Structure formats: structure tokens, C-alpha cells
Amino acid sequence: MLVVNGSDVPEGGCLWDKEFKESFADDYFSTRWFLQRHYDLTGSNGIKGVREIVNEDSISTKNIFEEFSQNLSRFMLPYLEKFDADLLVLGGNIAKAHALFLPKLKEYWEQKNCTVATNIIENTEEASIIGSSYLFNEEFWKSVKKELPTR
């Protein structure tokens, strides 16, 4: 069941559109953020995706993922605590690089006495298709369409 409303749920049931630092979460947890940070640190703009940054295995790669871990930790922690989450499921292409950020992320959370279990979704494309198919269920769609953010 999708939980979209409640005192312990972010408005709209989503996090991508919530404020973080000077912008919104989506601006800090997306491929474009990785590409911009890589450019900021290296001056190289020939990188087209996170996989290329990972494959570089450089000091810049380590610094970028360290910053990503810090950002994700700071952003997610209040939501995880408020929702009293038992499990955080990570998917998307970034989940393929979880070895570069997940240990540090958990370390940050443990320092704040937060021990949320994490699960990595390996086949994100399949999970996305299954999740999206729920939008074609008329009852489900009616129950959530007015609550979802449109930004």
C-alpha cells in the first residue's frame, strides 16, 4: 500500500521535491549532480554518466561519493526517523555503485543512533515497470492521484 499522507509522511509522499541545501533533493541525488561535481573537481566535461565516474576510480571519484554520502545522510535522516522506517530500499542506477557510498552512509547514520536496514534493488528497470503498472489500476490511481506532487 502506498502511503501518501500522514503526520509521519512527507507532503505528497515523495522526497524528490523537498528542499535541500540551495535547491531540491532531486538536484543533489541525480546524475546531473554527479556530472557537475565531477566537472567542478576535475575540469573535465567529457563524462556522460555516473558509471564513467565510478570507472575512473580516482581521488575525485572517492571525494564525489564521500560528498554524496554526506548529503544523502543529512537529507534522509530526518525523514527516516520521523517515519520510523525499518527498511530503506535503494534502486536506480546509483544503487549499482552502492559499495562506494552505502558503508559511509550507514556510518553517518549510526553516529546519530539510526540503524535502518537497507536493501539494494538490483533490477531497477523491472521494479520500475511493476511499480508504474499500478498507475493503471483504476482504484489505486483514484486513491493517490490528487495527493502526488506535480512540480
Side-chain angles (χ1 to χ4, degrees):
M1 174 182 201
L2 179 65
V3 180
V4 188
N5 287 308
S7 62
D8 57 350
V9 178
E11 184 181 339
C14 297
L15 295 174
W16 64 269
D17 61 337
K18 302 306 177 260
E19 290 183 13
F20 183 65
K21 291 190 171 188
E22 293 88 36
S23 187
F24 295 94
D26 194 54
D27 293 332
Y28 289 88
F29 308 114
S30 61
T31 298
R32 71 182 170 281
W33 179 85
F34 278 91
L35 297 178
Q36 183 62 50
R37 287 305 293 144
H38 183 269
Y39 177 77
D40 293 344
L41 295 174
T42 67
S44 172
N45 62 0
I47 298 293
K48 296 195 181 356
V50 176
R51 181 182 305 169
E52 291 177 64
I53 295 170
V54 170
N55 289 339
E56 279 185 357
D57 192 28
S58 66
I59 300 280
S60 296
T61 299
K62 289 173 181 46
N63 290 338
I64 291 167
F65 276 92
E66 170 72 24
E67 185 176 348
F68 178 77
S69 298
Q70 289 174 358
N71 286 342
L72 190 57
S73 172
R74 283 188 212 129
F75 177 73
M76 289 294 299
L77 187 60
Y79 293 104
L80 293 171
E81 289 176 335
K82 187 172 183 180
F83 191 70
D84 194 24
D86 296 318
L87 176 67
L88 174 65
V89 178
L90 296 172
N93 286 327
I94 192 61
K96 295 174 186 172
H98 71 274
L100 297 174
F101 70 88
L102 192 54
K104 201 65 168 171
L105 183 71
K106 288 181 176 183
E107 181 182 317
Y108 290 135
W109 287 343
E110 286 172 6
Q111 290 171 3
K112 301 290 185 180
N113 296 318
C114 179
T115 55
V116 174
T118 54
N119 192 356
I120 303 299
I121 298 294
E122 297 293 334
N123 192 344
T124 301
E125 289 80 14
E126 184 177 315
S128 296
I129 291 169
I130 291 168
S132 297
S133 71
Y134 276 91
L135 297 177
F136 290 100
N137 176 308
E138 195 170 325
E139 272 186 52
F140 176 79
W141 178 244
K142 283 181 184 177
S143 71
V144 299
K145 71 179 179 180
K146 293 179 183 172
E147 306 299 332
L148 297 175
T150 58
R151 177 183 167 283

